[in-house]
Amino acid sequence: MRNPDFYTTGQPDLYTTGQPAAAAASTKNRFSVILLIGVAVAGAVFGIGTVALFIVACKYFRRKIEGHFIHPDSIHRLRIDFEKGVEATLNPANVFLKNKFSTYYKAVMPSGISYSVKKLNWTDKSFNSGNNRKLGAELEKQGKLRHPNILTPLAHVLDTYYAYLFYEHVHKGCLSDFLHTSSVSVLDWPSRCSIAIGVAQGLAFLHGCQQPIFHLDLTAKNILLKSLTEPQIGDIELFKIIDPSKGTGIISVIVGSVGYAPPGTLQLLIYAKTVNVAEQCVL
């Protein structure tokens, strides 16, 4: 009778016993334990690393944000919180306007007062190099402009990759919404007339400055409305930092959206300062 502890595989000199099988099972169990311990250690390291990264990220986003006030009115210095303004730009739900070069966000300050925060991305190829320095100097000049139809910056935060410009909040949005969005109330003709006159007066003011300011991207999207009869021309600070070479050559240096040449622009090459308002507006 064959011993149950021994069995052959056809060759009498080769045999195995139950003892090596037990040893193999024991090795397998040890391997499983080691694997389980390895997975647990890896999970713990990953968890600790995630927590550490989260803490570092929180410290980074809660770092002291250095802003600069332009407008002399002390009331804005009391109401504007730079950290809250920059934080508002992290939430897409706060976006109320996007145009060619920037995005506008609604930021509610701790005081409960709302401000508009415009975010510029320095990596946009439409901007010249060294924009940070140029924009800061330009904002200092334009912060002194006073006209009811010009959207004047109140303060700014200039970061390595972004610029955040603070304005009084424009409650009605932009003109484009009323002209091209069916869900928005239709403008009556008296309102349209008031808006057209206000834009013309704003442009006349810009062109009449000691150093004339020519808007390089005047469209219905950067004409903002404080009310249905009070337009404000926005993005005037961009005319010094837009790179015209990304548009239609020398024509874009003079007037119009980058990449667009409005009718009659060729005449402006001859009459540099005699710019007709109708040739500037692309409404």
Side-chain angles (χ1 to χ4, degrees):
M1 182 176 181
R2 180 176 296 178
N3 189 333
D5 291 335
F6 295 88
Y7 62 90
T8 64
T9 58
Q11 299 183 23
D13 57 332
L14 297 177
Y15 62 90
T16 60
T17 67
Q19 185 175 357
S26 177
T27 302
K28 184 177 180 181
N29 290 337
R30 284 198 301 270
F31 178 77
S32 299
V33 171
I34 293 173
L35 181 62
L36 183 61
I37 293 174
V39 171
V41 171
V45 171
F46 178 78
I48 294 173
T50 303
V51 172
L53 183 62
F54 177 77
I55 293 174
V56 171
C58 287
K59 288 184 178 180
Y60 174 79
F61 286 110
R62 291 179 182 177
R63 72 193 189 282
K64 181 65 175 179
I65 295 177
E66 296 183 0
H68 179 73
F69 287 97
I70 306 169
H71 200 283
D73 194 341
S74 60
I75 190 67
H76 297 301
R77 296 174 182 267
L78 296 175
R79 290 176 175 176
I80 291 179
D81 184 313
F82 291 117
E83 293 188 6
K84 285 292 184 182
V86 173
E87 182 182 334
T89 65
L90 300 177
N91 186 355
N94 294 326
V95 174
F96 70 90
L97 173 63
K98 292 187 71 172
N99 56 30
K100 187 186 296 290
F101 301 111
S102 58
T103 304
Y104 286 81
Y105 299 81
K106 178 181 178 180
V108 181
M109 299 299 163
S111 62
I113 304 298
S114 296
Y115 283 85
S116 297
V117 180
K118 178 165 66 177
K119 183 178 181 179
L120 301 174
N121 186 346
W122 291 135
T123 61
D124 191 318
K125 295 181 180 180
S126 299
F127 295 143
N128 285 307
S129 59
N131 287 315
N132 197 307
R133 182 180 64 260
K134 291 179 181 178
L135 181 59
E138 194 59 37
L139 290 173
E140 291 297 325
K141 297 177 184 177
Q142 295 187 9
K144 300 176 183 178
L145 299 179
R146 298 290 181 271
H147 193 279
N149 299 120
I150 300 298
L151 188 64
T152 305
L154 306 173
H156 64 73
V157 174
L158 301 183
D159 206 343
T160 304
Y161 301 104
Y162 301 100
Y164 306 89
L165 312 184
F166 291 72
Y167 304 88
E168 289 186 272
H169 188 55
V170 281
H171 299 280
K172 295 297 182 180
C174 69
L175 179 58
S176 177
D177 293 338
F178 289 89
L179 296 180
H180 306 298
T181 304
S182 59
S183 60
V184 179
S185 302
V186 178
L187 286 172
D188 56 28
W189 285 107
S191 296
R192 292 172 184 244
C193 184
S194 296
I195 291 171
I197 292 173
V199 171
Q201 291 174 339
L203 288 174
F205 172 78
L206 294 176
H207 299 165
C209 293
Q210 186 174 2
Q211 293 184 344
I213 299 174
F214 297 103
H215 201 300
L216 296 182
D217 189 49
L218 185 61
T219 70
K221 275 207 166 186
N222 49 38
I223 295 177
L224 294 93
L225 303 176
K226 289 188 69 175
S227 71
L228 295 184
T229 57
E230 295 178 282
Q232 289 188 316
I233 300 173
D235 289 348
I236 61 171
E237 67 281 344
L238 301 184
F239 87 107
K240 281 287 184 71
I241 63 174
I242 292 176
D243 185 355
S245 66
K246 301 299 189 297
T248 53
I250 192 170
I251 292 177
S252 293
V253 178
I254 304 298
V255 61
S257 295
V258 173
Y260 171 79
T265 302
L266 292 177
Q267 296 179 0
L268 298 177
L269 298 176
I270 302 174
Y271 307 103
K273 286 192 177 182
T274 56
V275 181
N276 190 307
V277 170
E279 294 172 340
Q280 293 238 356
C281 295
V282 189
L283 302 182

